[in-house]
Amino acid sequence: MLVPGPFTITYFPVRGRCEAVRMLLADQGQEWQEDVVTMDRWQKGELKKSCLFGQLPKFQDGDLTLYQSNAFLRHLARTYGLYGKDQREAALLDMVNDGVEDLRLKYAQLIYQNYENGKAAYVEALPAQLCPFETLLSQNRAGQAFIIGDQISFADYNLVELVRNHLVLAPGCLGSCPLLAAYVERVTSRPRLRTYLESATHRDRPINGNGKQ
């Protein structure tokens, strides 16, 4: 049986693709170490060569090394019972997380490739992009629980983290999604998670690597 930890996140000095992992660990009362990679260190090439897919982040759980941030989330979900109560919920959570990933890719493309020319159109289309998550919430205890089921899951951390980023980009984006707005507030009010989100460790770490948000 795999004994969890110690955990190490190797990544650039941003929230980026690791913040949902940090939120999960913090909310589950776990500690982790950060191996912060400067651009100078990355450009030297040795670390890049050692990475399986030639990219960061990297996540270590004891002697287990993983790449791909969604794999980190799923691994921790299995470790801490955050993958739904049965196969049906697990399948739905995979679906939700893939939907989050679709939106995250669109967000990253805007931030890193088309911010000045694309922001207005992106923000205009955003409510429609968020609508599926509002629909899912409406189908689960009238929006008073989590995205799927009655217990928090890895997909909740991933969704909430991404929605919070969008609230910085477009503060009014949840105007047509009242259940989603209440859900984000409810999840981020969990005591250990709130403590982390209010910490300087979180607040001082930029959302993205190019200053756009």
Side-chain angles (χ1 to χ4, degrees):
M1 181 177 178
L2 183 67
V3 177
F7 302 118
T8 302
I9 292 171
T10 302
Y11 197 37
F12 304 111
V14 296
R15 299 179 196 174
R17 281 193 165 271
C18 279
E19 201 59 23
V21 175
R22 296 181 182 110
M23 289 167 61
L24 184 158
L25 289 170
D27 194 44
Q28 296 300 312
Q30 303 303 308
E31 296 182 352
W32 69 94
Q33 296 178 325
E34 298 270 355
D35 181 6
V36 180
V37 179
T38 64
M39 193 53 61
D40 181 63
R41 177 183 168 194
W42 182 248
Q43 289 175 344
K44 288 179 179 177
E46 292 305 309
L47 176 58
K48 182 179 177 68
K49 288 179 186 176
S50 74
C51 293
L52 183 62
F53 299 105
Q55 61 190 25
L56 295 175
K58 177 173 77 172
F59 183 77
Q60 291 165 279
D61 176 356
D63 62 359
L64 173 65
T65 298
L66 295 173
Y67 298 90
Q68 303 293 345
S69 56
N70 284 298
F72 311 165
L73 287 170
R74 289 186 167 98
H75 168 64
L76 291 169
R78 288 186 287 267
T79 301
Y80 293 110
L82 305 171
Y83 222 133
K85 71 175 186 287
D86 54 28
Q87 285 190 331
R88 176 186 175 86
E89 286 192 1
L92 291 169
L93 289 169
D94 282 336
M95 177 190 73
V96 171
N97 202 63
D98 285 356
V100 174
E101 177 66 10
D102 285 348
L103 181 56
R104 189 178 294 278
L105 289 172
K106 293 173 184 176
Y107 172 77
Q109 184 178 35
L110 170 74
I111 294 296
Y112 290 105
Q113 299 178 22
N114 194 33
Y115 189 82
E116 280 75 20
N117 293 328
K119 181 180 177 181
Y122 185 94
V123 170
E124 183 178 359
L126 186 54
Q129 299 292 323
L130 296 172
C131 182
F133 305 111
E134 180 80 0
T135 297
L136 284 167
L137 286 167
S138 73
Q139 295 170 349
N140 185 27
R141 292 181 52 189
Q144 300 307 304
F146 297 101
I147 195 67
I148 298 293
D150 295 324
Q151 60 187 30
I152 199 163
S153 72
F154 74 100
D156 289 297
Y157 298 111
N158 207 16
L159 174 57
V160 167
E161 193 274 332
L162 185 59
V163 172
R164 281 169 52 87
N165 291 349
H166 281 89
L167 284 168
V168 175
L169 177 75
C173 67
L174 296 183
S176 60
C177 298
L179 296 179
L180 187 56
Y183 156 82
V184 170
E185 180 63 29
R186 189 166 62 250
V187 171
T188 57
S189 294
R190 291 165 64 88
R192 285 184 294 213
L193 182 53
R194 182 178 65 239
T195 297
Y196 170 69
L197 293 174
E198 291 176 350
S199 70
T201 301
H202 169 77
R203 288 186 290 102
D204 294 347
R205 185 181 286 121
I207 296 175
N208 302 300
N210 65 355
K212 304 268 192 323
Q213 58 185 35

